[in-house]
Amino acid sequence: MSEQIKYVMTEERIPLAWYNIQADLPVPAPPVLHPGTGKPIGPEDLAAIFPMKLIEQEVSTEREIEIPEPVREIYRQWRPTPLYRARQLERALGTPARIYYKYEGYSPPGSHKANTAVAQAYYNKQAGIKRLSTETGAGQWGSSLAMGCQHFGLECKVYMVRVSFDQKPYRKALMQTYGAEVTASPSEETAAGRAVLAQNPNSPGSLGIAISEAVEVAAQDKDTNYALGSVLNHVLLHQSVIGQEAMEQMAMAGDQPDVVIGCTGGGSNFAGLAFPFVGAKLRGEGYEKIRVVAVEPTACPSLTRGQYAYDFGDTARLTPLLKMHTLGSEFIPPAIHTGGLRYHGMAPLVSHLRTLELIEAIGVQQVECFAAGVQFARLEGILPAPEANHAIAAVIREANRCKEEGVSRAILFNLSGHGHFDMSAYTAYLSGQLKDYEYPEQEIAMALAHLPVVAS
Amino acid sequence: MSEQIKYVMTEERIPLAWYNIQADLPVPAPPVLHPGTGKPIGPEDLAAIFPMKLIEQEVSTEREIEIPEPVREIYRQWRPTPLYRARQLERALGTPARIYYKYEGYSPPGSHKANTAVAQAYYNKQAGIKRLSTETGAGQWGSSLAMGCQHFGLECKVYMVRVSFDQKPYRKALMQTYGAEVTASPSEETAAGRAVLAQNPNSPGSLGIAISEAVEVAAQDKDTNYALGSVLNHVLLHQSVIGQEAMEQMAMAGDQPDVVIGCTGGGSNFAGLAFPFVGAKLRGEGYEKIRVVAVEPTACPSLTRGQYAYDFGDTARLTPLLKMHTLGSEFIPPAIHTGGLRYHGMAPLVSHLRTLELIEAIGVQQVECFAAGVQFARLEGILPAPEANHAIAAVIREANRCKEEGVSRAILFNLSGHGHFDMSAYTAYLSGQLKDYEYPEQEIAMALAHLPVVAS
């Protein structure tokens, strides 16, 4: 019998509850503020666009929140996802490191986003909602929500960032196959979209703009709610199934991670894998020396170079104010190919953990990321999403460090999705067209100059 | 606890041996003939392009052929694949039928083709071969072989049918990411390709032409062998893991299939699922009343409208003669979108079972297939490959028949791969551009007029 490379569990081992890190924080995260009053918002401020159950989850400090059985039933199609050991990669690197990855690409839309999409669709259906509106960048989230809506008989309206809409016709087609209505953002359909187009008819769009459009239509129609694919606490909560399963699977492997790595755009796949480990550490249940590393593109460096401040979640300033690492809500990232890691802000809980020094953050250039992704695909077979390539690049750095130091550490990372819909980016890389990009200091400073002033 | 929908097994349950239906045939399949002599070929006739181990498998009548451990180790990444019950589809159809599907889309390249790609790469590596050449239509096979070659350190050269090369840039990119060299066929690189281009510089290509090119380069270089993704006995053999696993999983479900359904291009995914059941029936181990249905596109109707005759496997007439249902080796199918089901011939073993009336065959139009595929995706989440949509269309027909007759039957089908690289076909369907196509009778007759004359 050869070495074990896959750790699978039967479906009874899908967690019964999501894990909420807010129960274990040494310092509570700063509250979400109302932009008009500067005071913490109440549930009623969010009720126009979210169902009450999700609002409750957003502010809950309960450690465990039960996963409804209809959601768990859908999870069972692809969960528990396997944990793999990357033996071929280890051998190729000649590293003493033990590299593990949790693979979320087996969900039908191909990424971790399905974990929260199904939950959000369920709670909205329970609340009598008929339609969900949302934004999407690379399309992982939009296609996940489109699938989630189909499962519960909801309509789905997706504002897709223009540059991705044009670069990723296959993702758009997937959403449409799942029955969603997909519109390029900025669009003429909303006041927010029209305002942007008036200034720049050729705007490539941004997640911030697309969020404004989706929130606007949800706020104006009582049958329509809004759904967000990352950033918010309840979204990170739903992703905690990843880390909970991984913890059990690492135990099956007879191992414990020394380093946990995830890529960060809005922060949800990273948090999904990492928070259960951080929580265990905070509760004194081991993992005292665990390092947790968030990896972001240098072209959208919110955690590494943004400001930790209150900012809007969207460009049109329709959302409440979130305390997070931000590049400014008017930030429009360069048209790099990692569509899913282009948000101006960061999940407030991820930012909070960063300020508490419970996690680290690094930025990686995209050529290094794609080189890592191609190496991984050739060795391990699975073709990673460009987002996940950031995590892989960091894993390779850590594994090389183990080699230099002659130390064997266990590295666990989240392979958050496959890259089947991102092949044009791989083609660009393989043909040498992909360029590195570092955001200029003065541009970041300019963008940050427009942060909202918050009444104290 | 809700109804079970997924039947998974641990990796120890991956079969230890492939199942060879040649051991159980009531009448042996007709031999492969040498085109010059009209006599059965010997191993030496194939040794220029295949390793001896595969040639032995091609003619073996051993029931079980051990799966080498290095192959099984790679299988463990995605095998055993899950068996699913399509509850949502059953409910939507209001059928008393119990619909099960074996899902092969979890392999890294996304289809069942990986099962034989890994095996073929392994045996060639063992034989000291440095490079494999092959053809690909839709690209499922080419990307699978590219991955298989990476695992064993072989180079991979793929002749990709021109029409797919142009329609499927993402599949091409996947092969290139796996390190393969991909050339549009017909090409200027081979005598076979140049001959076609001389007659028609705009030739859309065909599998028959691409096979000629790949066989030609393999025959001329001692370090290069040829690998075929379907049709031959050893390829079908490697796919038998599908049906063996499914048989065990159906037992886990406490059920037995009344009908087994697979789509057929060259016949390998169909055979992979069906042959273990047919074999059990032939050995008198149950399944007496099982119906086995092969489903092909009406635009490439070899099994339903072709002639059962000796024919070449390729257009340039480089291969030995195979007794099979054929449309003639010069057949160039219309540019329908189901790239994987466009071969002029059929696996000789599938054709043999058809003449023995052990299996049935039907043709389905592509609009019905895509309607079935979209319905499936919306209900079950997984987006099927266009090839698999043919199986789904037939499943829906069977399920509706159950409803009309008020009979509950168990229907098992092979969901042979996902459609992530086939979204342009879905877009064409959703926008109403996909048209049905039935091959005209006189064109089939004309193509069949050129069948080779075999010395008797």
Side-chain angles (χ1 to χ4, degrees), chain A residues 1-11 69 72-73 75-80 84 88 91 101 106 108 147 150-151 167-170 173-174 176-179 374 377-383 418 420-424 426-427 430, chain B residues 1-11 69 72-73 75-80 84 88 91 101 106 108 147 150-151 167-170 173-174 176-179 374 377-383 418 420-424 426-427 430:
Chain A
M1 189 62 182
S2 51
E3 304 156 319
Q4 191 149 3
I5 56 156
K6 184 168 72 168
Y7 302 91
V8 293
M9 302 189 296
T10 55
E11 48 196 284
E69 186 49 35
R72 222 165 152 267
E73 181 175 349
Y75 279 178
R76 287 157 60 209
Q77 188 180 35
W78 70 91
R79 306 211 71 84
Y84 287 109
Q88 303 301 326
R91 279 180 207 135
Y101 59 98
Y106 287 146
M147 183 199 74
Q150 277 295 327
H151 276 301
Q167 280 177 2
K168 303 206 166 196
Y170 282 19
L174 179 60
Q176 289 166 336
T177 302
Y178 284 144
V374 169
R378 291 183 181 177
L379 291 164
E380 298 289 328
I382 295 172
L383 183 97
H418 61 63
H420 302 171
F421 296 96
D422 307 287
M423 295 313 301
S424 58
Y426 277 91
T427 298
L430 290 171
Chain B
M1 190 60 183
S2 52
E3 304 156 319
Q4 191 149 3
I5 56 156
K6 185 167 71 167
Y7 302 91
V8 292
M9 301 188 297
T10 55
E11 49 195 284
E69 186 50 33
R72 220 164 153 267
E73 180 176 349
Y75 279 178
R76 287 157 61 209
Q77 187 179 37
W78 69 92
R79 306 212 69 85
Y84 287 109
Q88 303 301 325
R91 281 182 204 132
Y101 60 99
Y106 287 146
M147 183 198 74
Q150 277 296 325
H151 276 300
Q167 280 176 3
K168 303 207 166 194
Y170 282 20
L174 179 60
Q176 290 166 336
T177 302
Y178 285 144
V374 169
R378 291 184 180 176
L379 291 163
E380 299 289 328
I382 295 171
L383 183 97
H418 62 61
H420 301 171
F421 297 95
D422 307 286
M423 294 314 300
S424 58
Y426 278 91
T427 299
L430 291 170

Side-chain angles (χ1 to χ4, degrees), chain B residues 12-336:
Chain B
E12 305 88 68
R13 310 308 289 270
I14 296 170
L16 294 165
W18 291 300
Y19 165 68
N20 180 12
I21 199 168
Q22 294 187 86
D24 292 317
L25 292 173
V27 183
V32 175
L33 301 184
H34 190 287
T37 64
K39 297 267 187 308
I41 58 166
E44 65 286 358
D45 294 311
L46 297 170
I49 60 170
F50 292 119
M52 198 48 67
K53 282 281 185 187
L54 290 178
I55 296 171
E56 286 168 17
Q57 291 179 4
E58 189 64 22
V59 297
S60 170
T61 52
E62 292 292 312
R63 184 170 292 122
E64 296 195 338
I65 294 174
E66 190 187 345
I67 304 175
E69 186 50 33
V71 172
R72 220 164 153 267
E73 180 176 349
I74 296 170
Y75 279 178
R76 287 157 61 209
Q77 187 179 37
W78 69 92
R79 306 212 69 85
T81 58
L83 178 84
Y84 287 109
R85 174 115 181 233
R87 293 272 189 195
Q88 303 301 325
L89 180 62
E90 291 171 14
R91 281 182 204 132
L93 296 173
T95 178
R98 308 175 313 275
I99 303 175
Y100 299 88
Y101 60 99
K102 182 75 168 162
Y103 183 46
E104 291 293 307
Y106 287 146
S107 80
S111 82
H112 67 290
K113 296 284 187 189
N115 299 325
T116 185
V118 169
Q120 292 190 48
Y122 168 77
Y123 288 116
N124 276 289
K125 178 70 177 184
Q126 291 296 104
I129 288 297
K130 305 254 186 303
R131 191 173 82 137
L132 290 180
S133 71
T134 196
E135 74 294 328
T136 199
Q140 287 187 346
W141 167 240
S143 49
S144 295
L145 190 66
M147 183 198 74
C149 284
Q150 277 296 325
H151 276 300
F152 294 105
L154 296 171
E155 291 173 48
C156 184
K157 168 78 183 187
V158 182
Y159 291 92
M160 185 174 191
V161 175
R162 161 65 72 184
V163 61
S164 293
F165 188 90
D166 294 336
Q167 280 176 3
K168 303 207 166 194
Y170 282 20
R171 269 284 176 200
K172 181 175 49 181
L174 179 60
M175 291 183 255
Q176 290 166 336
T177 302
Y178 285 144
E181 189 185 324
V182 186
T183 303
S185 168
S187 79
E188 294 285 352
E189 294 178 2
T190 66
R194 289 190 293 273
V196 174
L197 289 172
Q199 283 205 313
N200 178 9
N202 299 316
S203 168
S206 70
L207 277 173
I209 296 168
I211 293 172
S212 293
E213 295 204 89
V215 168
E216 182 181 324
V217 300
Q220 289 172 357
D221 176 7
K222 72 174 176 44
D223 289 330
T224 302
N225 262 352
Y226 169 69
L228 188 63
S230 189
V231 179
L232 296 181
N233 301 349
H234 69 270
V235 182
L236 275 53
L237 174 79
H238 300 156
Q239 296 297 353
S240 67
V241 288
I242 302 172
Q244 292 184 76
E245 289 177 7
M247 201 175 267
E248 233 186 288
Q249 289 164 314
M250 287 297 297
M252 287 169 71
D255 211 342
Q256 274 209 1
D258 298 297
V259 190
V260 173
I261 294 176
C263 65
T264 44
S268 76
N269 96 73
F270 167 78
L273 178 65
F275 282 10
F277 290 97
V278 176
K281 173 180 172 171
L282 288 169
R283 294 192 304 276
E285 297 172 4
Y287 306 101
E288 291 82 9
K289 295 190 177 168
I290 201 168
R291 286 177 52 225
V292 178
V293 184
V295 191
E296 64 184 8
T298 51
C300 188
S302 54
L303 261 181
T304 51
R305 299 175 64 202
Q307 189 169 327
Y308 185 55
Y310 272 105
D311 195 5
F312 292 97
D314 72 318
T315 304
R317 304 190 161 204
L318 299 177
T319 72
L321 292 167
L322 305 168
K323 186 85 179 270
M324 60 184 176
H325 289 84
T326 179
L327 297 162
S329 66
E330 286 159 43
F331 174 80
I332 295 191
I336 57 162

Side-chain angles (χ1 to χ4, degrees), chain A residues 58-71:
Chain A
E58 189 64 20
V59 296
S60 170
T61 53
E62 293 291 313
R63 184 169 294 123
E64 297 195 335
I65 294 175
E66 190 187 344
I67 304 176
E69 186 49 35
V71 172

